[in-house]
Amino acid sequence: MNVLKAGARAFLHLFGLPAALLALWWFFAARSDSFYYPTLNEILSAFGETWFSSRIVDDVLPSLWRLAVGYLGAVVLGVTLGVLLGSHRQLRALLEPVLEFFRAIPPPVLIPVLMLFSGIGDSMKITVIIVGSVWPVMLNTVEGVRAIDDVLADTARCYGITGAARLRRLVLPAASPQIVAGMRQALSISIILMVISEMFASSSGLGFAIVQFQRSFAIPEMWSGILLLGLLGFALSLLFGLLESRVLHWHRGLRQSQKGEK
Amino acid sequence: MTSTDVKSAVRADSGLLDVRGVQKTYYGSGRTVEAVRDLTFSVGTGELACIVGPSGAGKTTLLKCIAGLLPPTGGEVRLGGARVQGPPPGMAVVFQEYGRSLFPWMTVADNIALPLKQKRTPKPRRAALVAEALESVGLRDVPHAYPWQLSGGMQQRVAIARAIAYEPDVLLMDEPFAAVDAQTRAELEDLTRSLWRNLGMTVLFVTHDIDEAVYLGQRVLVLSGSPTVVMEDVAVDLPAEREQLSTRALPRFAELRAHVYEQVQRAKTFHTAPAAGASA
Ligand SMILES: Nc1ncnc2c1ncn2[C@@H]1O[C@H](COP(=O)(O)OP(=O)(O)OP(=O)(O)O)[C@@H](O)[C@H]1O
Ligand SMILES: [Mg+2]
């Protein structure tokens, strides 16, 4: 009985507000006769026609591909640099001002510059995603690596856990809570940059398709693209949550046990 | 024939610990602390020596220098004839902050097995060692728990189990029984002695507890307050077979305890007179 209640409550929490918002949208859009605010009915039927078609291969998959490569590239690069900077104080002192400068540049302004070097193909978009998303991963990794408990580090040294084993058994797991937090920020930045880079200069992709619809006044189709982006972000965030709870279950337990002590 | 002789001679000395004129000063930002002034002593292979001294005397500092985790500011530590410059192989340390020395992302069994993996102990042997070590600290039931699911005393015992599963030549323990109840403490004391006698390792045991030091050790080194020197080296001439009740009831035990107690009391004020001369 209680389980049922709890399940129902969780369901309401997850879907209650979205359902209410959709209902509102439905209601107001149905009463509007503006060309720019099509009814939800129109958008939904456009959604099916538009996206369950060759566009899956032409636009959706290329976007997902760029997102995946760019995001994973940013994670690998960010963790690598973060571990290096986090473990070498002098290197950090040397590079910090430069890194702060580059971090302060809004990544979309790199698009015109990168277009000069790498054209308007996938590599430009992937580069934009990497350059923009690497920072939260890197900076969080640096913090995580610096915060490694020195008793734990001494323990590892005593038992001969050095080099690659140290990285795998001590550094990466110890920094994993911060790394995952950085990866979460990087995920939303990656999605934004994917869309923007495709809007700028492209011949395929979700961002490209949305701009194209807008220019040809295919308004319900345009809205359906925005809906698709929202759903994509939502799905990725759910996936990310699954990963997080697998990788960090020890961390949650640890924090709870520490709270209990206080 | 000769080669085995040489080998056993090397092996026989591998646990010989020589602390020569060790001095350690911490240079902090604007604050320098002379934690250890001048420590010289040696512990023979297979010996069990206890170290007592007031809080802040530099016992942990000394242990870290011996373990190769801290370079001494002066003097040197030699182990089996070789100068210690980093953590030597075959040495295990049980840290005072036991709770922070366990990997929270690994289960208890994995925590104990990790150093063995690193030593390339074959898997079946590893499993046996882990099970044995857990059994001997009375934690047979928790191999799959995470450290943070255990009480402080249980965590302490996991750290001890990890050290003994490692089968070290030299075992350093920094107030290892501080967090356990009296009953467990007595059991762990006897466990330490029986492991020491069975495995023939060199044990250096730091404690606050004078009774414990006399009960466990063949020797008790009394350190002065900071800046630290060895104040006295007391030989514990109790029978090798020790038993919680009867050994502690011996008149000789009481004498030794009283003696060490006096030394520790003296240690607290040891520097007030000579230190003035020394620093001038
Ligand atoms: N990392 C450090 N930086 C600066 N000073 C330190 C550091 N570690 C220890 N000290 C100082 O060195 C002195 C000795 O400390 P240490 O921890 O070795 O004492 P201890 O004998 O182990 O004490 P306790 O019995 O309380 O554990 C203390 O005055 C302490 O403040
Ligand atoms: Mg200490």
Side-chain angles (χ1 to χ4, degrees), chain B residues 26-28 31 33-36 53-62 64 96 174-175 206 208 226:
Chain B
Y26 288 104
Y27 296 97
R31 199 180 84 107
V33 182
E34 187 184 19
V36 172
S55 185
K59 304 181 292 294
T60 299
T61 303
L62 168 67
K64 281 188 179 164
Q96 190 171 5
D174 197 353
E175 301 186 27
V206 168
H208 269 136
S226 181

Side-chain angles (χ1 to χ4, degrees), chain A residues 74-238:
Chain A
V75 168
V76 171
L77 188 67
V79 170
T80 310
L81 290 175
V83 167
L84 281 176
L85 287 176
S87 0
H88 300 283
R89 200 164 40 86
Q90 279 125 344
L91 190 64
R92 196 162 60 234
L94 190 71
L95 293 185
E96 204 141 55
V98 187
L99 292 175
E100 284 299 327
F101 173 76
F102 280 113
R103 191 168 76 102
I105 301 175
V109 308
L110 293 173
I111 295 172
V113 183
L114 286 171
M115 272 166 65
L116 294 178
F117 297 113
S118 48
I120 63 166
D122 280 355
S123 61
M124 179 274 276
K125 294 168 189 103
I126 290 169
T127 314
V128 170
I129 295 176
I130 292 180
V131 170
S133 324
V134 73
W135 306 106
V137 180
M138 189 189 84
L139 295 172
N140 277 285
T141 306
V142 169
E143 286 315 306
V145 171
R146 286 180 64 187
I148 293 179
D149 191 298
D150 41 349
V151 178
L152 213 52
D154 277 352
T155 305
R157 268 185 80 193
C158 275
Y159 288 118
I161 300 161
T162 53
R166 183 182 141 89
L167 183 68
R168 177 155 165 240
R169 309 284 185 186
L170 174 70
V171 177
L172 290 181
S176 62
Q178 286 91 338
I179 293 177
V180 169
M183 282 171 62
R184 197 177 252 293
Q185 293 173 31
L187 182 61
S188 43
I189 299 178
S190 289
I191 296 176
I192 294 172
L193 290 177
M194 170 197 84
V195 176
I196 294 182
S197 68
E198 289 172 349
M199 285 177 162
F200 241 93
S202 195
S203 53
S204 68
L206 285 170
F208 165 74
I210 291 173
V211 169
Q212 212 187 22
F213 289 139
Q214 186 248 341
R215 287 192 185 140
S216 57
F217 294 99
I219 301 301
E221 285 78 6
M222 180 194 83
W223 280 106
S224 77
I226 294 169
L227 192 62
L228 180 64
L229 275 176
L231 289 175
L232 177 69
F234 185 64
L236 287 176
S237 157
L238 278 185

Side-chain angles (χ1 to χ4, degrees), chain B residues 138-237:
Chain B
L139 288 179
R140 200 179 336 141
D141 304 330
V142 298
H144 304 300
Y146 284 89
W148 36 266
Q149 294 172 320
L150 308 178
S151 71
M154 288 163 95
Q155 292 175 13
Q156 180 86 300
R157 283 184 277 161
V158 175
I160 295 169
R162 178 169 62 189
I164 60 187
Y166 195 60
E167 300 183 299
D169 299 327
V170 182
L171 175 60
L172 309 180
M173 300 175 100
D174 197 353
E175 301 186 27
F177 307 152
V180 298
D181 59 283
Q183 179 61 38
T184 313
R185 186 178 190 131
E187 280 164 18
L188 288 176
E189 284 168 4
D190 291 334
L191 172 72
T192 306
R193 270 194 73 89
S194 72
L195 282 169
W196 163 66
R197 296 183 71 183
N198 295 339
L199 301 178
M201 53 193 175
T202 309
V203 180
L204 200 57
F205 189 103
V206 168
T207 174
H208 269 136
D209 185 332
I210 294 163
D211 275 52
E212 183 169 81
V214 174
Y215 178 75
L216 275 181
Q218 295 177 299
R219 274 161 75 194
V220 177
L221 294 162
V222 183
L223 302 189
S224 71
S226 181
T228 312
V229 297
V230 177
M231 247 183 47
E232 181 147 333
D233 187 345
V234 184
V236 178
D237 47 3

